[in-house]
Amino acid sequence: MPTQHDRTVPPTSGSSRRGLAATTSAALRRHRRTLAGAAVRIVGLCGLAGLLMTAAVFALAWPCFTRMRNQRIWYQQMEDPYLHDHSDLTLVALGALPFFLLLLGTGGAALQTVCSRAVAAVSHEPSKDDGSWALSFARLRPVLTVYALRGLIVWPLPLLAVEVAYDLTGPQIDTEDQILERGSWLYTCVAASPVVAVFAAVLLRLALNLAPAAAADGLGPGAALRRSWSLSWTRAGAVRVVALSLPLAALTAGVIRLVVQLALPLRPLVRGWIEEATGNFFAAYYAGILAPVIVGILVTAAVVLPITCTAFAALHAQLRSSRTSPRGSVNTAGATA
């Protein structure tokens, strides 16, 4: 019985023989208006939703801000230094983190879908739908599911390793609760385990980089993850995935750092406005910290994410065609002989 991999039709035109850079630039150039419009709409809507969610988080955390303000006033009256405890705010932020990740994943899935269609149009691949560029929930769902599954596969291992290493080698060491002897080989192995776990997570993440593009190409979530794994764990696939991922990661980090630095003047403006409006220094302080970061994330997403999604969609199409085309040509040659 043919699998979902077998039903995928490889590109048949000469454009499939283009290089990765040529295919990516052609898709970005020919469909620049569509991609730019989609990026502006998706990032704008996600930014608006993110601001509303941030406001809701601040509203939920307002009792913490009020308690910090009252404690600060009391310590000032006692003429003692005050170091505020932000553990309650950390718990609120961790509780809200899944919703922000869902928002980021939805935006990334929507943009990946549009970019994959642009690459398919450049490669003259057969369309699996009516050819409309409109987004639909049915088209976004497998890509969003891939993001969620990939996160569940990649990140639990390093988080668990960090937690276990902290419990076994943390501040309780050299006390009556000591579990491992400092300087022993077991202590050294446990202390180094987070580094090994992060390295393994990076390898897993690289092997699954093509999964969203595969899901946007029409595969289900499980088949997309398997497709990405099989394409990446080859000599040619691994080299190309790493060669594409590292520059894009450096570009993303560089752009977000540059934009955050340029947006730093927003920090005192936001802090002063919120403190004047609410009278709460701590709410204004944390809002001022977040303002440049939010601007950096939104600008970086609008500028870098279309390039990244298009490049990985082009790489997926290239690796898939390189796997299927030689096999088909060999079979054809054998039949002719």
Side-chain angles (χ1 to χ4, degrees), residues 198-289:
V198 169
F199 180 74
V202 170
L203 291 180
L204 281 174
R205 181 64 170 77
L206 289 173
L208 301 178
N209 267 354
L210 300 175
D217 196 46
L219 295 180
L225 292 171
R226 291 191 296 272
R227 164 77 65 81
S228 178
W229 182 272
S230 62
L231 292 178
S232 299
W233 283 108
T234 61
R235 181 177 301 178
V239 171
R240 293 180 185 180
V241 169
V242 173
L244 179 61
S245 301
L246 293 182
L248 288 176
L251 175 64
T252 302
V255 172
I256 194 170
R257 179 174 177 80
L258 175 62
V259 176
V260 169
Q261 290 297 318
L262 294 176
L264 283 180
L266 288 175
R267 183 168 293 175
L269 295 177
V270 173
R271 185 185 303 169
W273 177 73
I274 293 183
E275 186 174 8
E276 182 180 356
T278 64
N280 195 312
F281 166 80
F282 291 100
Y285 172 77
Y286 284 102
I289 291 177

Side-chain angles (χ1 to χ4, degrees), residues 143-178:
V143 186
L144 183 58
T145 305
V146 162
Y147 278 118
L149 292 177
R150 188 173 64 179
L152 292 176
I153 293 172
V154 171
W155 296 118
L157 177 62
L159 293 177
L160 179 62
V162 170
E163 181 67 23
V164 171
Y166 178 81
D167 291 340
L168 297 180
T169 64
Q172 77 281 356
I173 203 72
D174 297 330
T175 66
E176 59 181 9
D177 298 327
Q178 178 175 341

